[in-house]
C-alpha cells in the first residue's frame, strides 16, 4: 500500500530566540537579526509523513511551501530528510495575505497535487501563532481535519486513527481519508538530514535561483532533472486575483506596537537572611500572603 | 441581527471558563454597541445550561441539542454554527482560543469567507479609516493580539466582512456576573434538518480529559519555575512552597519542554495567561514568550542568580541569588512569621 501525502511547511523568523543582539537599544526587535528557520511544528509534521513512508515504501511525499524565493531552503531541508518532491509557491501578488487568503492559495496548490490521501502540517507557525491556515485549507478543500495530532496510531486504505494532544488530556479519533492533520509539537521530533540525500540534493535550485548562476552550473544541472525545484505562481495555480494577497485578506492590520521592556521600580535583594526575612515580613504585613 | 455571538465550549457538559470570560467581555461590547449578547451552545443534554449563562447578561441562548453533537467534533459544529450565523447575521462572533475554538474558528471563517483574528488578548470598539481607499468605518471591533513571538502587539480589524470573528485567549478576560436575576430567552435549533450524513466523518474512539486539576488562572499566588530550576526534584521544592502559601505551581515553556513538570502548568504565550496577586518567577530568564503570560500580575518576585536576567526588570522585588538557598529560607521565615 502506498499513500500520497502532502506536507505543508513554512519558513519563519526564529522568534523564539530573540537574543540580545536582536533587540534594539529602544527595546524593540530588529527582525533582520533573526535567522530564518524551518517552522518547528512543520518539522514534526514532516516526521509523521516520513514515518508513514518508512512503513509503506510506495508512499509519495510532496512538500508545499509558500513564501519568497529564499523559502526554497525549506524544500532542500525536506529533500535531505526524504521527501520525493517539493514545490515553492511564490508570487509577489501573494504578499500581505492573511490566513484566509493564504489558505486559499495553498488549497489551489494542493488541488494541483491531487489526488492525495493525507495532508500534514504543523499546528501553527511561530511567527503568527494562529493555527488557522491548516483548518481553513481543509475547509476550502471540503475535507475532514484533525488538529493537535500527537501520534498516528494506524492507517489503512480508507481511514486513519490519530491521538490528539489537548490542553488537559488526549482524544483518539478515527477519520476517513482524505484528511488534513495538523501536528502538535509534542509529536516525535524530526529525524536529522540524511548524508546521502544531502549530497544528492545539495544543488537543488529553483529557476529563480538558477538565474544567478553560471553556465557550467547550468549544464551539470540540466543533466540532473531531480535538482529542479518547481515554482508555482498565481497563474500556474489559476487563483482568482481578488482572493489573494492584501486584497483577498478580510483582516487588516490597523497598527502595530513594539513591546518594550519597561523597568519597574524594583527593589534588588540578596539571598541573605536579613533580606529574605524582611521581604516575607513585608508580604505578610501587606496581606499579600498569609 | 447585528448582535454579538459567543460560541460556548463544553467539557463534560459544563460550560468552560473561557466561554464565561467571553460572555463577560461580550456583555461590555454589547453595551457599548447597544446590541444584544447571544450565546450558542452545541452539544447533548444541555437544556439546563442556559440558566448558568443568563447571569452573565446573556439576552438569547441558542441551543442545538442532539447526541450527534457531543463530544465536540469539527464538521457538525461548523455546520450548525455557520447556519445560525447566516440566519442571524451577528456583527461579531467570539470563540475561545482553545483546542476546540482554534479547531472550529478557522473552519467557520473559511466557510463564510470572513476574517478571523487568532489569540486576541484584548477587544475594543473603535473607528477605522482605510488609508488606501479613504473609506471610514464606525464602531469596528479592534482585535488586539501579540504577534511575532510576543515582540509586537498588533491591532487587527475586519472592515468589510461580517461577522467580525476572533478567538480569545484563556484567562485574559475577567469573568463577571451582571445580575443573578438577569433573564434572557432560549431558542432551540432544529438540528436534524441541518446535519447531513456526510458531516459525520470523524469517529471519536477515546477521550480522556483530566478534570481541571491545575487551576492556574484562578490562583491568587503562583510559584513558577523555569529552566534554571534544573530538575523535576527541584520542582518539588517549589510545590512545597506553593502549598505552604496556598498557591499553584507554574512553569515556563523551557521547564515544561525539559520535562520538569506537566504541560498544564505552562504559563506564557503558548500556555495560560495569569494575573495573580503574587507571582514568583524562579530560575526564569524572562523571555517575552513567558512574560506575556504573567506581566499583569499585581506583584512579581524574581529569584535568579544572574543579575542581568531580564525578569528582574519586571519584578517588584528582584532577588539575586540561588533559588535552592532562597526558597528554604522563605519557607522557614514564613513559618516563623505567620504563627
Amino acid at each position: 500500500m502506498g499513500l500520497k501525502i502532502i506536507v505543508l511547511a513554512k519558513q519563519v523568523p526564529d522568534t523564539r530566540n530573540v537574543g540580545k543582539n536582536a533587540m534594539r537599544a529602544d527595546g524593540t526587535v530588529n527582525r533582520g537579526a533573526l535567522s530564518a528557520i524551518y517552522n518547528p511544528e512543520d518539522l514534526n509534521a514532516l516526521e509523521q509523513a516520513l514515518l508513514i513512508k518508512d512503513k509503506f515504501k510506495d508512499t509519495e511525499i510532496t512538500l508545499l511551501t509558500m513564501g519568497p524565493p529564499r523559502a526554497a531552503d525549506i524544500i532542500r531541508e525536506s529533500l535531505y530528510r526524504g521527501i520525493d518532491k517539493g514545490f515553492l509557491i511564490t508570487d509577489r501578488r501573494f504578499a500581505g495575505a492573511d490566513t484566509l487568503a493564504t489558505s486559499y492559495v495553498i488549497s489551489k496548490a494542493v488541488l494541483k497535487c491531487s489526488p492525495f490521501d493525507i495532508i500534514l502540517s504543523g499546528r501553527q507557525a511561530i511567527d503568527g501563532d494562529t493555527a488557522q491556515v491548516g483548518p481553513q485549507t481543509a475547509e476550502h478543500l471540503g475535507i475532514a481535519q484533525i488538529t493537535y495530532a500527537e501520534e498516528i496510531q494506524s492507517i489503512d486504505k480508507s481511514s486513519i486513527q490519530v491521538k490528539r494532544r489537548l490542553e488537559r488530556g488526549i482524544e483518539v479519533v478515527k477519520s476517513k481519508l482524505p484528511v488534513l492533520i495538523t501536528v502538535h509539537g509534542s509529536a516525535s521530533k524530526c529525524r536529522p538530514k540524511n548524508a546521502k540525500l544531502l549530497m544528492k540534493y545539495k544543488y537543488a535550485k529553483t529557476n529563480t535561483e538558477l538565474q544567478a548562476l553560471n553556465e557550467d552550473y547550468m549544464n551539470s544541472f540540466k543533466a540532473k532533472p531531480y535538482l529542479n525545484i518547481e515554482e508555482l505562481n498565481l497563474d500556474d495555480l489559476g487563483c482568482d486575483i481578488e482572493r489573494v494577497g492584501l486584497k483577498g485578506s478580510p483582516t487588516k492590520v490597523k497598527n502595530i506596537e513594539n513591546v518594550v521592556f519597561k523597568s519597574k521600580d524594583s527593589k534588588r535583594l540578596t539571598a541573605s537572611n536579613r533580606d529574605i526575612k524582611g521581604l516575607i515580613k513585608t508580604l505578610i504585613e501587606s496581606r499579600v500572603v498569609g | 441581527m447585528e448582535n454579538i455571538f459567543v460560541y460556548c465550549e463544553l467539557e463534560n457538559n459544563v460550560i468552560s471558563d473561557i466561554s464565561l470570560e467571553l460572555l463577560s467581555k461580550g456583555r461590555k461590547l454589547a453595551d457599548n454597541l447597544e446590541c444584544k449578547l447571544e450565546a450558542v451552545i452545541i452539544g447533548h443534554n444541555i437544556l439546563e445550561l442556559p440558566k448558568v449563562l443568563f447571569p452573565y447578561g446573556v439576552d438569547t441562548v441558542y441551543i442545538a441539542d442532539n447526541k450527534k453533537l457531543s463530544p465536540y467534533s469539527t464538521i457538525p459544529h461548523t455546520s450548525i454554527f455557520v447556519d445560525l450565523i447566516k440566519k442571524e447575521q451577528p456583527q461579531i462572533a467570539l470563540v475561545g482560543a482553545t483546542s476546540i475554538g482554534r479547531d472550529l474558528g478557522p473552519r467557520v471563517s473559511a466557510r463564510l469567507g470572513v476574517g478571523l483574528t487568532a489569540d486576541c488578548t484584548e477587544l475594543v470598539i473603535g473607528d477605522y479609516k482605510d488609508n488606501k481607499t479613504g473609506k471610514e468605518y464606525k464602531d469596528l471591533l479592534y482585535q488586539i493580539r501579540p504577534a511575532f513571538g510576543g515582540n509586537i502587539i498588533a491591532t487587527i480589524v475586519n472592515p468589510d466582512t461580517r461577522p467580525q470573528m476572533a478567538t480569545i485567549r484563556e484567562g485574559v478576560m475577567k469573568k463577571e456576573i451582571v445580575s443573578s436575576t438577569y433573564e434572557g430567552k432560549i431558542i432551540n435549533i432544529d438540528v436534524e434538518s441541518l446535519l447531513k450524513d456526510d458531516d459525520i466523518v470523524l469517529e471519536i474512539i477515546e477521550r480522556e480529559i483530566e478534570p481541571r486539576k491545575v487551576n492556574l488562572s484562578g490562583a491568587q499566588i503562583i510559584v513558577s519555575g523555569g529552566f534554571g530550576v534544573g530538575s523535576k526534584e527541584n520542582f518539588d521544592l517549589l510545590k512545597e512552597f506553593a502549598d505552604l502559601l496556598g498557591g499553584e505551581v507554574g512553569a515556563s515553556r523551557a521547564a515544561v519542554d525539559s520535562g520538569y513538570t506537566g504541560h498544564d502548568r505552562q504559563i506564557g504565550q503558548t500556555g495560560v495567561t495569569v494575573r495573580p496577586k503574587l507571582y514568583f518567577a524562579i530560575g526564569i530568564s524572562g523571555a517575552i514568550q513567558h512574560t506575556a503570560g504573567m506581566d499583569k500580575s499585581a506583584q512579581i518576585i524574581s529569584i535568579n542568580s544572574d543579575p542581568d536576567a531580564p525578569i528582574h526588570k519586571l519584578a517588584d522585588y528582584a532577588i539575586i541569588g540561588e533559588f535552592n538557598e532562597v526558597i528554604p529560607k522563605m519557607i522557614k521565615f514564613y513559618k516563623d512569621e505567620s504563627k
Side-chain angles (χ1 to χ4, degrees), chain A residues 13 15-18 20 23 28-29 31 34 41 98-100 103 123-124 126-133 135-140 142-148 153 161 164-176 179 184 186 246 250-274 276-277 279-284 286-290, chain B residues 71-72 74-75 78 97-99 102-104 106-107 109-111 113-119 127-128 132 142 145 147-159 161 167 170 200-210 212 221 245 253 263-264 269-270 277-278 280 286 288-289 291 297-301 307 310 312-322 325-326 329-330 333-334 337-338:
Chain A
T15 55
R16 295 173 314 173
N17 292 309
V18 182
K20 279 184 188 133
M23 297 301 278
T28 61
V29 194
R31 295 187 194 203
L34 299 181
E41 286 186 327
D98 70 0
T99 61
L100 192 70
S103 60
R123 175 185 54 144
Q124 63 192 49
I126 58 170
D127 54 347
D129 286 319
T130 72
Q132 288 177 185
V133 172
Q136 288 177 329
T137 302
E139 175 61 30
H140 291 308
I143 62 170
Q145 73 188 41
I146 301 173
T147 54
Y148 289 66
Q153 297 182 323
Q161 185 168 315
R164 304 176 66 210
R165 170 60 53 188
L166 309 177
E167 294 97 332
R168 282 180 277 279
I170 59 120
E171 183 180 76
V172 177
V173 296
K174 192 170 188 173
S175 171
K176 288 177 194 159
V179 63
H184 193 270
S186 61
L246 206 55
T251 62
K252 309 286 177 205
V253 178
K254 184 180 164 285
N255 63 289
I256 278 181
E257 260 172 73
N258 283 293
V259 175
V260 178
F261 258 119
K262 283 184 217 97
S263 278
K264 263 198 199 174
D265 193 17
S266 70
K267 280 202 180 86
R268 292 232 153 188
L269 304 176
T270 66
S272 73
N273 284 349
R274 215 186 71 174
I276 303 297
K277 193 169 180 174
L279 172 62
I280 294 289
K281 265 187 145 167
T282 311
L283 293 177
I284 292 174
S286 59
R287 297 185 184 277
V288 177
V289 299
Chain B
Y72 168 82
T74 317
I75 294 177
T78 302
T98 58
S99 57
R102 295 169 107 220
D103 187 86
L104 176 77
R107 196 86 201 192
S109 95
R111 193 167 298 181
V114 305
L116 171 66
T117 306
D119 284 24
D127 299 338
Y128 171 70
K132 270 192 195 134
Y142 290 175
R145 67 174 308 245
F148 216 69
N151 295 292
I152 61 172
I153 301 289
T155 301
I156 314 284
V157 288
N158 299 350
T161 57
T167 66
E170 218 172 341
I200 315 293
V201 288
L202 211 74
E203 185 190 341
I204 291 152
I205 309 280
E206 186 190 345
R207 195 174 160 86
E208 265 180 55
I209 304 294
E210 295 152 16
R212 183 188 284 260
I221 298 174
L245 300 178
R253 181 178 181 158
H263 280 280
D264 49 355
Q269 201 157 49
T270 44
K277 59 178 185 178
L278 180 60
F280 288 89
I288 187 88
Q289 285 85 344
T291 57
S297 306
Q299 278 205 59
I300 297 168
I301 297 176
H312 291 317
K313 285 194 192 169
L314 209 63
D316 300 276
Y317 297 96
I319 304 173
I320 320 298
E322 297 292 339
E325 185 187 342
V326 175
K329 280 186 186 177
M330 285 186 158
F333 292 130
Y334 180 79
E337 297 293 328
S338 60

Side-chain angles (χ1 to χ4, degrees), chain A residues 25-245:
Chain A
D26 61 1
T28 61
V29 194
N30 176 12
R31 295 187 194 203
L34 299 181
S35 49
I37 60 164
Y38 205 119
N39 179 51
E41 286 186 327
D42 294 343
L43 278 172
N44 295 106
L46 173 61
E47 178 62 19
Q48 292 303 316
L50 295 169
L51 286 171
I52 296 171
K53 192 172 167 143
D54 290 345
K55 211 166 161 190
F56 306 108
K57 300 287 176 208
D58 294 334
T59 295
E60 192 186 294
I61 305 174
T62 304
L63 185 126
L64 298 177
T65 189
M66 181 169 164
R70 67 166 187 276
D73 285 343
I74 295 297
I75 294 172
R76 280 184 289 271
E77 286 289 317
S78 310
L79 286 165
Y80 304 156
R81 288 172 168 89
I83 64 161
D84 297 279
K85 193 161 178 50
F87 291 96
L88 173 62
I89 306 166
T90 187
D91 195 315
R92 280 174 184 280
R93 291 170 288 183
F94 294 152
D98 70 0
T99 61
L100 192 70
T102 301
S103 60
Y104 165 69
V105 173
I106 291 174
S107 69
K108 293 296 257 184
V110 166
L111 290 175
K112 198 106 185 146
C113 305
S114 273
F116 59 88
D117 300 296
I118 303 168
I119 302 174
L120 284 157
S121 79
R123 175 185 54 144
Q124 63 192 49
I126 58 170
D127 54 347
D129 286 319
T130 72
Q132 288 177 185
V133 172
Q136 288 177 329
T137 302
E139 175 61 30
H140 291 308
L141 294 166
I143 62 170
Q145 73 188 41
I146 301 173
T147 54
Y148 289 66
E150 185 175 70
E151 188 193 348
I152 294 174
Q153 297 182 323
S154 66
I155 310 178
D156 60 39
K157 270 184 206 135
S158 62
S159 72
I160 187 164
Q161 185 168 315
V162 175
K163 182 168 99 183
R164 304 176 66 210
R165 170 60 53 188
L166 309 177
E167 294 97 332
R168 282 180 277 279
I170 59 120
E171 183 180 76
V172 177
V173 296
K174 192 170 188 173
S175 171
K176 288 177 194 159
L177 299 180
V179 63
L180 182 145
I181 299 173
T182 73
V183 180
H184 193 270
S186 61
S188 316
K189 289 218 164 22
C190 194
R191 61 197 63 189
K193 297 168 204 173
N194 174 302
K196 271 189 191 160
L197 292 173
L198 179 66
M199 294 311 290
K200 182 174 173 188
Y201 290 111
K202 206 158 86 178
Y203 298 107
K205 300 277 180 213
T206 61
N207 286 334
T208 306
E209 289 171 322
L210 280 177
Q211 284 163 19
L213 299 166
N214 64 32
E215 209 165 310
D216 287 352
Y217 188 91
M218 287 295 280
N219 289 334
S220 72
F221 188 85
K222 273 177 197 151
K224 295 173 182 165
Y226 59 83
L227 288 181
N228 183 248
I229 298 173
E230 204 177 317
E231 290 165 303
L232 298 170
N233 65 20
L234 186 141
D235 306 307
D236 298 324
L237 297 177
C239 292
D240 175 354
I241 196 159
E242 298 296 317
R243 294 183 66 183
V244 306

